[in-house]
Amino acid sequence: MDSIGLIPSFGNFFYTAVAFVIALSVIVAIHEFGHYIVGRWSGIHAEVFSLGFGPKLWSRTDKRGTRWQIAVLPLGGYVKFLGDANAASAGADQATMSALSPEERRHTMHGAPLWARAATVAAGPVFNFILSILIFSAMFLYAGTPTDKPVIGGFHSLPGGSGQIEAGDTILAIEGTPTPDWAALMAAVDTLPAKDPLTYRILRNGKELTLTGPSIYPARADNIVPGSAAADAGLMRDDVIVAADGSPVRRFADLQTAVRAAEGRPVLLSMWRAGKTFEVTLSPRKTDQPTADGGFETRYLIGLSGAVFFDPATRKVGPVEAVKGAALQTWVIAKSSVSGLWHIITGAISACNLRGPLSIAEVSGAAASQGSSDFIWFIAVLSTAVGLMNLFPIPMLDGGHLVFHAYEWATGRPLPDSVLNVVMMAGLFVVLSLMGFGLFNDFSCP
């Protein structure tokens, strides 16, 4: 291949790398700022606040004596407090500590009260969760939430159009099945006949009408999972699958049936995109999917999700409702992450579900390519994951430091330096092993 042929690949790589660096930098900056600001409020002096590792690209020292810097390797960051032996706050710099007065030692991480040290350590993950909640809240405030009744706000393009239904219509029933709210409408999806068009009873301008419309849940791609078979095949949001292996696909359930029946073999899909038709062949992949009861099930999937054929009408939400919804969203992400990790450890699901930086970068680029809202949503999800990971009781991570502080609180004395050095090395080995395993999966897992 000549050098000109490499330009598209390089462009995609560059786009992915930039998206990854932006997402990671925002999350790391918030995490480390949590350590910094709570440490400052607790009377602990920060000597260095670094975004990235390695040689400095830029630095500035503020009036409090803290050096703020951006380093060349944008894969993390740290806050080095007065008296720390290293950026991980793993042990004290005895030479520095011995030269300080008792009053000055109070402003070090190792000379501060236990409550101040614990609060400073916990602040990093907590600020990650706060970032997630703030982002989710802002998006809920901006987008609103669907109205209680299934009211049509707008349409997505479909091969047969929207039939006789118009924006502003309230769906009262589909094929005789009442749909007084969203729960009833979604429950009806699985019971409706596999035909197109369907008969709708709607409310329009105070009058009830019986009209025809498309399948309530067509085989329209509402979201493409990054790194999936659908993504690799070039499918895009709002693509409509009209046939699978020659059989008509009138609803999303028909597509699911065809994918399950293939059991991993290639499936020929006939596609419709903005009035044009084309075909694509892709192979469903075994995927571990979370279930409602907190478990997982392994299914063959192509990596796209569907939705109803229209955009629901929305109502505004207040700050309290938005924050509640955002907190619940953050909790669900954290809970499913812990559940997934536990199922990997117990062997219930494939270890390929644990991925490394290359997969995260790929998802970053894919989210950015789908639009700013998807990218911002991804940052919120990743921030929750980073906050949760840092709470794991592994030395070198914030959770490990909190375990040390709990030991000190319970025994009245800190962990001996000789023991601390050993467990920190063990923690470093665990962290590097996990990173290496994730990177190995990035290359070896489909």
Side-chain angles (χ1 to χ4, degrees):
M1 181 182 292
D2 59 24
S3 58
I4 298 298
L6 291 172
I7 292 177
S9 297
F10 177 78
N12 291 336
F13 171 79
F14 180 77
Y15 186 83
T16 296
V18 169
F20 177 58
V21 169
I22 291 174
L24 190 62
S25 297
V26 170
I27 292 167
V28 169
I30 294 298
H31 180 95
E32 298 303 334
F33 184 77
H35 290 314
Y36 163 78
I37 195 64
V38 173
R40 198 181 88 184
W41 291 340
S42 303
I44 303 173
H45 173 65
E47 291 188 313
V48 180
F49 184 109
S50 180
L51 187 60
F53 298 103
K56 299 190 297 290
L57 294 175
W58 171 89
S59 68
R60 181 183 71 85
T61 301
D62 65 18
K63 62 181 181 181
R64 293 185 175 86
T66 300
R67 186 173 79 244
W68 300 76
Q69 66 181 39
I70 298 176
V72 69
L73 297 176
L75 299 177
Y78 62 89
V79 176
K80 185 178 182 297
F81 293 101
L82 177 64
D84 286 349
N86 49 55
S89 298
D93 182 344
Q94 296 301 332
T96 300
M97 295 295 290
S98 61
L100 299 176
S101 67
E103 291 78 14
E104 290 172 325
R105 290 183 183 180
R106 167 60 182 84
H107 298 296
T108 68
M109 175 63 83
H110 305 277
L114 181 59
W115 68 264
R117 286 179 278 147
T120 300
V121 169
V126 169
F127 269 54
N128 280 134
F129 297 139
I130 291 174
L131 173 63
S132 298
I133 292 172
L134 288 176
I135 290 176
F136 289 140
S137 297
M139 297 188 80
F140 290 154
L141 286 170
Y142 174 77
T145 190
T147 55
D148 296 334
K149 295 181 180 297
V151 179
I152 295 173
F155 297 102
H156 292 272
S157 296
L158 294 173
S162 59
Q164 299 171 308
I165 299 176
E166 299 178 359
D169 289 349
T170 301
I171 300 176
L172 302 177
I174 308 173
E175 291 291 325
T177 301
T179 56
D181 52 34
W182 278 103
L185 185 144
M186 296 310 296
V189 167
D190 295 329
T191 63
L192 293 172
K195 68 174 187 176
D196 189 358
L198 296 175
T199 300
Y200 289 78
R201 183 161 57 88
I202 61 98
L203 180 67
R204 179 185 297 171
N205 298 326
K207 296 181 179 180
E208 291 190 13
L209 302 172
T210 299
L211 307 171
T212 57
S215 171
I216 188 66
Y217 212 94
R220 178 184 65 83
D222 187 62
N223 184 56
I224 306 293
V225 177
S228 65
D232 291 346
L235 270 62
M236 300 171 61
R237 179 177 290 172
D238 283 332
D239 283 351
V240 181
I241 295 89
V242 295
D245 285 336
S247 298
V249 172
R250 295 184 175 86
R251 53 183 185 168
F252 198 81
D254 298 336
L255 174 63
Q256 292 175 310
T257 300
V259 170
R260 279 196 299 267
E263 296 185 340
R265 67 170 176 77
V267 179
L268 175 65
L269 299 181
S270 300
M271 310 292 301
W272 182 92
R273 178 185 294 170
K276 297 181 179 180
T277 59
F278 61 97
E279 292 184 338
V280 62
T281 300
L282 47 76
S283 298
R285 299 171 184 172
K286 276 189 176 181
T287 307
D288 297 308
Q289 287 285 101
T291 58
D293 60 0
F296 280 81
E297 64 176 353
T298 301
R299 297 164 52 192
Y300 281 103
L301 301 175
I302 61 175
L304 62 84
S305 59
V308 293
F309 73 90
F310 59 91
D311 287 324
T314 59
R315 62 173 177 82
K316 292 184 178 180
V317 299
V320 174
E321 184 180 0
V323 171
K324 284 183 178 179
L328 177 61
Q329 182 72 46
T330 302
W331 167 253
V332 169
I333 294 169
K335 183 179 178 181
S336 61
S337 298
V338 172
S339 176
L341 182 60
W342 174 250
H343 282 77
I344 291 174
I345 293 173
T346 59
I349 61 176
S350 171
C352 283
N353 287 281
L354 183 64
R355 293 303 182 105
L358 295 183
S359 292
I360 298 174
E362 182 182 8
V363 175
S364 300
S369 68
Q370 292 181 18
S372 58
S373 61
D374 282 4
F375 184 57
I376 294 171
W377 185 274
F378 168 75
I379 290 176
V381 172
L382 187 59
S383 183
T384 298
V386 169
L388 180 66
M389 179 189 69
N390 273 276
L391 285 178
F392 290 161
I394 301 174
M396 292 295 293
L397 300 181
D398 295 329
H401 286 280
L402 291 175
V403 171
F404 301 154
H405 294 326
Y407 172 86
E408 183 177 347
W409 172 80
T411 63
R413 62 182 185 277
L415 204 65
D417 286 343
S418 58
V419 177
L420 180 63
N421 291 335
V422 172
V423 296
M424 290 299 288
M425 289 300 295
L428 178 61
F429 174 78
V430 171
V431 171
L432 292 178
S433 297
L434 289 173
M435 291 177 62
F437 185 67
L439 188 61
F440 173 79
N441 284 348
D442 288 342
F443 287 104
S444 62
C445 293

